[in-house]
Amino acid sequence: MCKDCGCSVVEHSHSHGEETHSHEHQDSHHQHLHDNPQLNDPKTISVITKILDKNDQEAGHNREHFNSHGVLCINLMSSPGSGKTALLESLSDLGEFKFGVIEGDLETSLDADRLKAKGIEAHQIQTGSACHLDAFMVHKALHHINLDNMDVCFIENVGNLVCPASYDVGSHLNIVLVSIPEGGDKIAKYPVMFRKADLILFTKTDLLPYFEYDMKKEKETARKLKPNVDILEVSTKDAESLRKVSQWIRFKMGMR
């Protein structure tokens, strides 16, 4: 657990952590003992809970800011290398709606530079040692982008399948990517992230012939965690699959 992360506080997340805590959602109103002795300390839990409470308040403020500008905010989450930035570049090529990006990474502005090269308005957040974005980081970034010029604001979160799920950043929707080369166990091993998803994207599907990947099984696992989750298969080499993602986003825009 990172030094300022509340990813193991049950009351806020119902089942944070990896497979060792996958049972916690069954009884989310009761405190569980954790393998990490620090998290058995009531004072530590109280501090982390206060951090998350303040974050939730700021997230609400961010959402109000997006709402006042008529902007749909989508939080993109995945492990590193699943294709978040490549997806955004491809959506830009389709040109079906205007969007900007708040980009989160521990170091460098490489992803933001890629997006800017495509003519996408992007602001980089360098988190240093933090393994996730929080609502305060996003709020600060909002002072550096012009929401009046966009229909959608994507928050490309830090590549991590654990901690980003614990922090509301003020988005309206969560899209979680899982790529074929990652192997067929990520959804089962990191259930918290996938319970947060409004849409799961299976990416890099053009590589399916080269991997032993049971797509049907993975979809079943996802729907056991969240029966109503939307699921799409996508490859940046397949324009039709990208259009389906764009259509999903435009449908959500129309519901606002």
Side-chain angles (χ1 to χ4, degrees), residues 23-255:
H23 63 283
E24 292 179 3
H25 72 285
Q26 298 173 7
D27 189 11
S28 62
H29 297 293
H30 295 279
Q31 182 62 48
H32 288 270
L33 295 179
H34 296 268
D35 292 333
N36 184 339
Q38 287 184 325
L39 293 178
N40 297 328
D41 176 13
K43 290 184 179 179
T44 301
I45 293 172
S46 177
V47 169
I48 296 175
T49 301
K50 288 179 181 178
I51 291 172
L52 289 174
D53 285 341
K54 290 181 179 179
N55 180 81
D56 288 349
Q57 292 175 13
E58 189 72 0
H61 176 71
N62 291 347
R63 227 171 340 261
E64 290 175 2
H65 198 61
F66 289 120
N67 291 340
S68 68
H69 287 80
V71 172
L72 177 69
C73 181
I74 299 176
N75 186 18
L76 293 181
M77 298 183 287
S78 77
S79 60
S82 293
K84 297 187 296 297
T85 308
L87 173 68
L88 294 173
E89 290 174 319
S90 298
L91 290 176
S92 175
D93 290 336
L94 292 180
E96 296 189 356
F97 51 85
K98 296 182 293 182
F99 67 86
V101 181
I102 295 172
E103 179 70 46
D105 278 305
L106 271 70
E107 297 288 346
T108 82
S109 60
L110 293 174
D111 288 348
D113 292 342
R114 283 173 56 181
L115 297 172
K116 290 176 182 178
K118 299 284 290 186
I120 303 167
E121 184 174 358
H123 178 76
Q124 181 73 52
I125 299 174
Q126 294 180 359
T127 66
S129 62
C131 55
H132 57 271
L133 295 179
D134 64 30
F136 293 94
M137 297 178 193
V138 171
H139 176 76
K140 186 176 181 180
L142 289 176
H143 293 287
H144 299 278
I145 61 174
N146 186 358
L147 293 178
D148 292 328
N149 289 336
M150 62 188 72
D151 304 306
V152 178
C153 181
F154 290 99
I155 298 172
E156 185 176 343
N157 220 308
V158 177
N160 183 344
L161 278 178
V162 183
C163 303
S166 301
Y167 280 78
D168 184 357
V169 290
S171 62
H172 300 104
L173 297 168
N174 295 318
I175 296 179
V176 180
L177 288 66
V178 58
S179 68
I180 302 308
E182 292 177 78
D185 59 2
K186 295 300 177 289
I187 296 176
K189 290 176 70 174
Y190 302 93
V192 180
M193 179 67 74
F194 292 94
R195 286 193 193 100
K196 293 283 187 178
D198 297 289
L199 171 66
I200 295 174
L201 293 181
F202 287 91
T203 63
K204 306 184 183 183
T205 54
D206 53 297
L207 297 178
L208 275 169
Y210 308 102
F211 289 86
E212 294 183 2
Y213 195 93
D214 191 337
M215 182 68 76
K216 180 180 178 181
K217 179 182 177 182
E218 291 306 295
K219 289 181 178 179
E220 289 174 351
T221 301
R223 291 208 160 101
K224 285 179 182 177
L225 292 172
K226 189 172 184 180
N228 63 338
V229 69
D230 292 325
I231 297 175
L232 292 173
E233 300 177 29
V234 64
S235 166
T236 56
K237 300 180 185 299
D238 180 359
E240 182 58 31
S241 72
L242 292 165
R243 273 191 286 272
K244 289 180 180 178
V245 178
S246 180
Q247 289 168 0
W248 186 91
I249 294 170
R250 288 191 289 113
F251 175 74
K252 295 299 183 179
M253 289 168 54
M255 293 178 63

